[in-house]
Amino acid sequence: MIPFEMLEPKSLRDATALLDADDPTIRPLGGGTALMLMMKAGVFQPSRLVSLRSVEPRYSTITVNSDGSFNIGALAPLASLEHSADIHKHLPVITRTMQVLSNVRVRNVATIGGCLAHGDPHMDLPPVLISLGAKVRVIGPDSERTIPVADLLTGYYETQLAKNELIAELIIPPQNGKRSVYLKCTTRAAHDWPALGVAVSVAGNRDGLSEAHVVISAATERAQRVEQASALLVGPPANDKLFKDAGEAAASAVELIGDSQGSVPYKRQLVRVFVERALRQAIDGGITQ
Amino acid sequence: MSTANKTIHFTLNGRPVTAEVAPHHTLVELLQNQFNLNGARESCAQGLCGCCTVLVDGKSVSGCLYLASFADGTAVDTIEGVADGVALDPVQEAFIEAGAFQCGFCTSGFILMTKQLLDAHPAPDDDQIRHYLAGNLCRCATYPEIIRAVKLAATKRKTVTA
Amino acid sequence: MNAITPTPGGQVGRSIPRLEATSKVTGRVEYVHNLRLPGMLSVKLVRSTVAHGRIKSIDVEEALKVPGVHRIVTSEDVLKVIPVPYYGPAFHDQPILAIGKVHFVGEPVAAVLASDPHVAEQAARLVVVDYEELPAVFDEVEALKSKTVVHEQLKPAGTFPDLKHLHGVRDTNLALDFQLVHGDPAKAFAEADHVFEHTFRTQQVLHVPLEPYVSVAETDGNTMTIHTASQSPSFVRLEIARLLGWVENRVRVRVPFLGGGFGGKLYIKLEALVAALSLITMRPVKLALTMEEQFYTLTKHASTFRIKSAVSKDGRVTGRECEVWWNGGAYADIGPRITQKSGFTAPGPYDIENVKIDSYALYTNLPPAGALRGFGIPQLVWAYESHTDLIARELKIDPVAFRRKNLLRDGREQATGTVVRDMGADACLERAAELMNWDAPFDRGSGTIKRGRAIAVGFKASISPTTSVAVVNVAADGSCTLFCGTVDMGQGSDTAMAQLVAEVLNIPAETVRVVHSDTDVTPYDMATLGSRSTFHMGHAVRLAAEDARAKLAALATEVGVAPGSNVPIRELFVRKYKMQAGTIVGTGSYIPDYTSPHQGTGQSANVTPFWMVGATGIELEVDTETGHVKITKMINVADVGRAINPKIVESQLSGAAIMQLGFTTTEKMEFEGGQCTNASFADYKIPGFADLPPTMTNVVVDANQHNGPFGAKGVGESGTFGVSPAYANAIEDAVGVRITTLPITPEKVYRAMCAARNEPLED
């Protein structure tokens, strides 16, 4: 790695001021796990890093509200979500997803905000958060806005964030008994980045679903809701045929990327199979949120 | 632009220490170059193999992806601090008895991770072991022996605390 | 303490922990990785970005401006200290830094030196090399006929006796064409009831020891010390001395423990470069590769194997034709030896009277290929055991019964004409069948999960003729030290060798100290490779210990102690020297008998001192909707002769099998125009805990190698042999599709299933 300047502001707002909307060599640093990889590989050579490690402690806390909604500080390490009793109680799909997400050391260091701001389509949490209807509160030097996670991610390693904006917190709405599942499909080693991630969240039972969210990641340029599949699921009896149709709909709707984890036609088959399996698991064994 | 070195203070294997670090130095470089601790070793450089595992404030991190300056004000523990003098930790004993290493390059990481695992799950089953250690690689593939070592260590720990 | 107190039971056969166990669990074990010398410079290499090209210019101007850069070295500088800077065990074809041309993407072109490795890295990125690109050849089959020639000139090394005949074929890419003819294959095919022919391929994979390649050199201009993670310290000394034009005793090669080797750290890797750089700068120089750089250093041979069999009505294989193309990459490394030594086992462990083999070592514009745990054998077993199952299936004969019928048994001639002895192919097959409950009904799965099972058996000859020398010292207090050049890279050789010394001298193995390779001190050993150490060095160590024992007995007689008396050893020394003084030095040297194969027919009456056999059985399930395969049971059986340390032997079998499982299922170097595009653990996936079969059984058959030290022979590779074909055969057993190229990915299986039901998946 080549030398760079490191600043450690004491507040998140100050941090935004040290960033530069026009300078891509200046970047914020949370846990740094993703950025360090890029720096070590030489694909990112920073002139300045703005460490967020010393900002207000409230940006690292997990708060559950009386309605079951959550406010999670962007600097909360993934491990703190993994081990949160509140999350385990209200959002067990997140606890479970943590088990398949990277490894213990990364989860100890990587932050929830960093994981969203990175825009990597292979991350395991974004599809889950989209299926749960989560939003992020974003602040800039003199701005603040709230964006659904679904809209935050705009492309392959691309987000809506300006270079001087920072995610301040993640807001997860109450789930009211919806059932959610995340399936991670790997095609190289068993423990790997997903070739395909499928997150589903449904309300209802075998008689019919009143709400359904199907989200695809990893095989696509960004984690994204599959409206065609989601829409088809609401209303009719939720039988295996319907889930198969939803899988088929998702497979024909999404634009897939072929790579060393699989060709486009193969990934299409994986979408077909894993959407169906995720829905079946959600409705049968799925965990209530 | 200031890329100046910074003086940091931290606790290393229980002793307070001071070091001068540059912003781009990693924790594993700091341990090797300034403290001659070679047990944490950079291998894959991507946080995937676990050879560079060290504990920061009791939590495992990949020392090759962890900036040295982040250690300021923390307690850092390495494999060299696991044994009490010449008396080995039960996890170390278990690794020897189970033959849970060949070349030894990944062993520091596996031992530190096993200690963490046993702190979280004192009597882990095969699945828990495989799962917790999934982020550590052994090219000699001494995985079955490591599973046996973890279970043996769990028994040893129970005996020690009983 | 009385070091010579007899211990209950023999030392051979004890499962003692490794001698160095404590230093490994405390993180304090010595690797070259740890070494930092005062005034040391770090090196970062500038590597070729083209697969084949002429170097038009190397511009270092910007790079030299980086504060802290000590020097940037190119081949021009190297030529001033080493006039002919080419090295290699088979051909002197590899330059220390590229001279005029580059032959693969990743070839070192320039070396940037600085005290701070970050500075060297930063500057290396600023070196600009301009190339005139030349046509390149990548595929081994194409390379045999290609007009694109990798090397204009071939330079045989002539170092090793078994490779003296090498010459290569000018204006082609052929480094060696090994041929074998046994019996009358043409007649066998003409008279055959059935003829089967298949082609199988393997991919480029690599060792990726977790300790990447690392070497340090320091010199005073008169002597040179190289600290290196090498499996072949004696060869390093020989080759560096040759390059420098020095006598051997001016070069010292030190090797502590290795963080894995697997055949990668053999012959010359970084040693010649650091030696040159230390001479140029007159400073200690360290070159530690990154994980990524290992992908530009050495691979396993990709291969293509066309195999054809003549089979009688009753299922006897009467003839076999083998044509094997080995993708050697840009430099021969040890490829020619693989082509020959493994080549002659290409028909498999079967009793086939009429055999023809053509085995070609080929140059291509890919990273050099060399030895990797099995020395070419896993590539061959993959093909012949897949082929064997296909024949059995076609003839509707149970695959185990078919093997049983054709197996090569003791007393019969192998394809080279050598009569086999102590080759437990039958014992391994039977034990594997038993552990697999082969005769019991088998659950074939249901729904979208289909189950299958298979067994595969492979064998290997040892490397001959090779020399090992050992020294055993007995100090005046009776404590014992072994000096031997076998490198402990994780296989546990220190411990096994200590057990051999202990067995002879009747002392506890734990008390024997093993001095690691230091060519100033430890005597010659050919190398730690090919599962040769237990046998070859084992004999040298045994002989050295026996020599020490004889000298101790002579000492006892000299000081008037009766034979068989249990007077402590230290007492013998005190009686002779009047104090605790003196040393007994026992020496042992071993080279087995060997007859070189005839050029042209490949026939030899004695082609190997011993044979190794490994068998693997796999049960698995296939997800018919996705092609995912899950192993539910894996058994590995080997004939290792007598196990010196059964626990370490089991670990060797298990580790080898899991490693080969990676080569079977996930590992593959991807190339685009010769550029490896997945040079990291993020994209090149080696097996981890999640890939481990839920149950694994690793056993050795009861055996004794008649000419082995205490009945022992090699073990390091045997676990790899049967894995790949057992996996493919079990998949066919489960879902009826045959995969003929490695690795076997879920997509490959799914595609084959789609194709089989005539609904091929588009590309």
Side-chain angles (χ1 to χ4, degrees), chain C residues 445-493:
Chain C
S446 60
T448 58
I449 301 295
K450 299 281 186 248
R451 305 184 76 247
R453 61 174 181 164
I455 291 175
V457 191
F459 81 130
K460 180 178 190 285
S462 178
I463 310 292
S464 275
T466 63
T467 302
S468 291
V469 185
V471 172
V472 168
N473 273 10
V474 181
D477 63 354
S479 64
C480 218
T481 306
L482 169 64
F483 296 78
C484 92
T486 294
V487 174
D488 199 324
M489 51 191 175
Q491 82 280 37
S493 55

XYZ file of all heavy atoms in Angstrom, chain C residues 445-493:
329
model
N -31.325 -42.741 -3.667
C -31.912 -41.404 -3.523
C -33.311 -41.341 -4.096
O -33.839 -42.320 -4.647
N -33.923 -40.165 -3.956
C -35.283 -40.002 -4.458
C -35.516 -38.532 -4.758
O -34.741 -37.667 -4.341
C -36.283 -40.479 -3.409
O -36.113 -39.699 -2.235
N -36.599 -38.247 -5.468
C -36.955 -36.871 -5.785
C -35.871 -36.196 -6.587
O -35.365 -36.757 -7.563
N -35.456 -35.023 -6.146
C -34.437 -34.281 -6.886
C -33.030 -34.616 -6.403
O -32.065 -34.014 -6.837
C -34.669 -32.761 -6.748
O -34.644 -32.432 -5.356
C -35.997 -32.350 -7.347
N -32.937 -35.535 -5.465
C -31.609 -35.948 -4.966
C -31.343 -37.392 -5.396
O -32.064 -38.313 -5.019
C -31.545 -35.854 -3.417
C -31.827 -34.428 -2.941
C -30.194 -36.349 -2.902
C -30.799 -33.404 -3.357
N -30.299 -37.555 -6.207
C -29.927 -38.900 -6.666
C -28.558 -39.248 -6.097
O -27.675 -38.394 -6.020
C -29.860 -38.943 -8.197
C -31.181 -38.615 -8.867
C -32.134 -39.800 -8.852
C -33.387 -39.537 -9.648
N -34.598 -39.434 -8.785
N -28.405 -40.511 -5.718
C -27.165 -40.925 -5.067
C -26.342 -41.870 -5.938
O -26.907 -42.653 -6.710
C -27.462 -41.577 -3.716
C -28.288 -40.678 -2.787
C -28.486 -41.290 -1.410
N -27.281 -41.175 -0.607
C -26.544 -42.199 -0.213
N -26.890 -43.424 -0.528
N -25.455 -42.005 0.503
N -25.027 -41.787 -5.791
C -24.145 -42.680 -6.533
C -22.892 -42.975 -5.734
O -22.620 -42.331 -4.719
N -22.144 -43.971 -6.196
C -20.915 -44.326 -5.491
C -19.913 -44.917 -6.477
O -20.304 -45.386 -7.558
C -21.204 -45.334 -4.378
C -21.786 -46.613 -4.925
C -21.945 -47.663 -3.860
N -22.493 -48.880 -4.458
C -22.460 -50.055 -3.861
N -21.945 -50.186 -2.658
N -22.974 -51.109 -4.468
N -18.654 -44.890 -6.096
C -17.621 -45.436 -6.969
C -16.317 -45.605 -6.201
O -16.134 -45.021 -5.131
C -17.388 -44.520 -8.160
N -15.449 -46.391 -6.809
C -14.107 -46.607 -6.271
C -13.111 -46.399 -7.414
O -13.408 -46.740 -8.552
C -13.960 -48.048 -5.721
C -14.821 -48.219 -4.467
C -12.491 -48.370 -5.417
C -14.844 -49.636 -3.930
N -11.965 -45.847 -7.099
C -10.907 -45.739 -8.110
C -9.561 -46.042 -7.452
O -9.350 -45.735 -6.271
C -10.883 -44.348 -8.732
N -8.670 -46.645 -8.213
C -7.350 -47.053 -7.700
C -6.256 -46.504 -8.609
O -6.360 -46.603 -9.830
C -7.204 -48.598 -7.690
C -5.959 -49.008 -6.912
C -8.430 -49.260 -7.109
N -5.227 -45.956 -8.004
C -4.112 -45.461 -8.808
C -2.793 -45.928 -8.228
O -2.733 -46.355 -7.070
N -1.748 -45.811 -9.026
C -0.433 -46.222 -8.511
C 0.662 -45.343 -9.080
O 0.457 -44.595 -10.033
C -0.178 -47.710 -8.801
C 0.311 -48.005 -10.202
C 1.434 -48.796 -10.413
C -0.358 -47.492 -11.307
C 1.891 -49.068 -11.697
C 0.096 -47.769 -12.598
C 1.219 -48.556 -12.786
N 1.809 -45.441 -8.450
C 2.917 -44.567 -8.817
C 4.237 -45.283 -8.573
O 4.352 -46.065 -7.629
C 2.856 -43.303 -7.946
C 3.956 -42.275 -8.204
C 3.752 -41.041 -7.319
C 4.674 -39.899 -7.705
N 6.047 -40.049 -7.312
N 5.209 -44.981 -9.413
C 6.560 -45.483 -9.189
C 7.327 -44.410 -8.421
O 6.949 -43.253 -8.419
C 7.234 -45.754 -10.523
N 8.427 -44.808 -7.809
C 9.245 -43.819 -7.113
C 10.260 -43.211 -8.085
O 10.433 -43.693 -9.195
C 9.958 -44.477 -5.944
O 10.784 -43.536 -5.313
N 10.888 -42.121 -7.626
C 11.875 -41.440 -8.459
C 13.242 -42.102 -8.260
O 13.740 -42.153 -7.145
C 11.993 -39.954 -8.037
C 10.625 -39.292 -7.949
C 12.931 -39.196 -8.944
C 9.923 -39.110 -9.239
N 13.822 -42.554 -9.311
C 15.150 -43.170 -9.211
C 15.986 -42.738 -10.397
O 15.448 -42.387 -11.430
C 15.013 -44.696 -9.235
O 14.758 -45.158 -7.954
N 17.282 -42.855 -10.312
C 18.058 -43.186 -9.121
C 18.403 -41.898 -8.386
O 18.904 -40.961 -8.997
C 19.314 -43.804 -9.733
C 19.482 -43.098 -11.059
C 18.125 -42.620 -11.486
N 18.124 -41.822 -7.130
C 18.410 -40.591 -6.390
C 19.134 -40.922 -5.087
O 18.915 -41.978 -4.508
C 17.116 -39.827 -6.060
O 16.309 -40.637 -5.215
C 16.345 -39.486 -7.318
N 19.925 -39.968 -4.642
C 20.837 -40.196 -3.520
C 20.416 -39.427 -2.277
O 19.978 -38.282 -2.375
C 22.259 -39.726 -3.920
O 22.637 -40.457 -5.087
C 23.267 -39.954 -2.814
N 20.573 -40.075 -1.134
C 20.407 -39.399 0.156
C 21.568 -39.764 1.059
O 22.028 -40.904 1.048
C 19.097 -39.836 0.828
O 17.989 -39.344 0.119
N 22.012 -38.777 1.825
C 23.100 -39.005 2.768
C 22.682 -38.430 4.117
O 22.033 -37.380 4.166
C 24.411 -38.320 2.292
C 25.565 -38.676 3.220
C 24.742 -38.707 0.856
N 23.022 -39.133 5.193
C 22.667 -38.648 6.530
C 23.822 -38.867 7.500
O 24.687 -39.717 7.277
C 21.427 -39.375 7.038
N 23.819 -38.082 8.546
C 24.824 -38.211 9.606
C 24.103 -38.267 10.950
O 23.195 -37.477 11.200
C 25.806 -37.010 9.592
C 26.713 -37.038 10.814
C 26.619 -36.998 8.306
N 24.507 -39.220 11.779
C 23.961 -39.293 13.133
C 25.115 -39.069 14.111
O 26.115 -39.794 14.068
C 23.303 -40.660 13.405
C 23.006 -40.834 14.892
C 22.007 -40.787 12.592
N 24.989 -38.066 14.938
C 26.001 -37.787 15.965
C 25.514 -38.274 17.320
O 24.362 -38.036 17.672
C 26.213 -36.274 16.109
C 27.237 -35.746 15.124
O 27.655 -36.463 14.223
N 27.608 -34.500 15.300
N 26.404 -38.916 18.042
C 26.095 -39.229 19.434
C 27.061 -38.421 20.285
O 28.278 -38.558 20.151
C 26.234 -40.734 19.728
C 25.868 -41.029 21.185
C 25.355 -41.547 18.776
N 26.510 -37.544 21.093
C 27.353 -36.691 21.949
C 27.804 -37.482 23.172
O 27.305 -38.580 23.438
C 26.582 -35.451 22.371
N 28.723 -36.896 23.894
C 29.341 -37.620 25.004
C 28.382 -37.882 26.157
O 28.664 -38.708 27.021
C 30.567 -36.852 25.499
N 27.245 -37.196 26.167
C 26.259 -37.524 27.204
C 25.241 -38.529 26.685
O 24.240 -38.815 27.323
C 25.555 -36.254 27.708
C 24.755 -35.556 26.634
O 24.831 -35.986 25.441
O 24.054 -34.581 26.956
N 25.465 -39.001 25.469
C 24.563 -40.008 24.904
C 23.437 -39.406 24.088
O 22.687 -40.128 23.445
N 23.300 -38.093 24.082
C 22.206 -37.495 23.302
C 22.561 -37.537 21.826
O 23.729 -37.543 21.443
C 21.922 -36.067 23.774
O 23.037 -35.241 23.527
N 21.524 -37.562 21.035
C 21.683 -37.913 19.633
C 21.173 -36.819 18.709
O 20.106 -36.252 18.954
C 20.807 -39.137 19.448
S 21.531 -40.264 18.388
N 21.920 -36.526 17.666
C 21.505 -35.491 16.712
C 21.565 -36.061 15.308
O 22.559 -36.702 14.944
C 22.454 -34.272 16.821
O 22.496 -33.855 18.181
C 21.952 -33.121 15.961
N 20.520 -35.808 14.556
C 20.471 -36.275 13.168
C 20.642 -35.090 12.230
O 19.958 -34.071 12.363
C 19.118 -36.953 12.896
C 18.814 -37.256 11.423
C 19.793 -38.272 10.856
C 17.384 -37.737 11.274
N 21.571 -35.242 11.299
C 21.773 -34.214 10.272
C 21.252 -34.773 8.965
O 21.836 -35.715 8.423
C 23.268 -33.885 10.136
C 23.869 -33.285 11.374
C 24.198 -34.084 12.456
C 24.119 -31.914 11.465
C 24.755 -33.533 13.600
C 24.666 -31.357 12.605
C 24.985 -32.170 13.682
N 20.151 -34.231 8.494
C 19.662 -34.733 7.212
C 18.970 -33.621 6.444
O 18.403 -32.705 7.015
C 18.775 -35.964 7.401
S 17.035 -35.680 7.555
N 19.069 -33.708 5.147
C 18.604 -32.621 4.289
C 17.142 -32.731 3.904
O 16.651 -31.924 3.119
N 16.434 -33.707 4.435
C 15.006 -33.776 4.140
C 14.332 -32.564 4.771
O 14.597 -32.236 5.922
C 14.406 -35.085 4.689
O 14.978 -36.167 3.966
C 12.893 -35.109 4.520
N 13.494 -31.902 4.002
C 12.867 -30.666 4.458
C 11.494 -30.980 5.041
O 10.660 -31.598 4.377
C 12.737 -29.679 3.286
C 11.950 -28.439 3.712
C 14.121 -29.287 2.769
N 11.269 -30.556 6.279
C 9.952 -30.780 6.871
C 9.039 -29.637 6.472
O 9.129 -28.520 6.979
C 10.037 -30.927 8.390
C 8.786 -31.619 8.939
O 7.696 -31.364 8.400
O 8.908 -32.408 9.894
N 8.163 -29.916 5.532
C 7.262 -28.877 5.037
C 5.855 -29.108 5.572
O 4.883 -28.552 5.075
C 7.273 -28.874 3.513
C 7.043 -30.238 2.897
S 7.393 -30.186 1.126
C 7.184 -31.903 0.694
N 5.779 -29.966 6.593
C 4.479 -30.268 7.183
C 4.177 -31.748 7.161
O 3.287 -32.222 7.845
N 4.957 -32.500 6.359
C 4.670 -33.933 6.224
C 5.133 -34.733 7.423
O 4.805 -35.903 7.543
C 5.282 -34.466 4.914
C 6.762 -34.822 4.954
C 7.685 -33.623 4.825
O 7.407 -32.544 5.333
N 8.799 -33.804 4.150
N 5.930 -34.091 8.298
C 6.337 -34.786 9.524
C 7.612 -35.590 9.375
O 7.846 -36.536 10.119
N 8.472 -35.198 8.433
C 9.684 -35.986 8.186
C 10.649 -35.937 9.361
O 11.298 -36.936 9.665
C 10.369 -35.511 6.899
O 10.622 -34.130 6.951
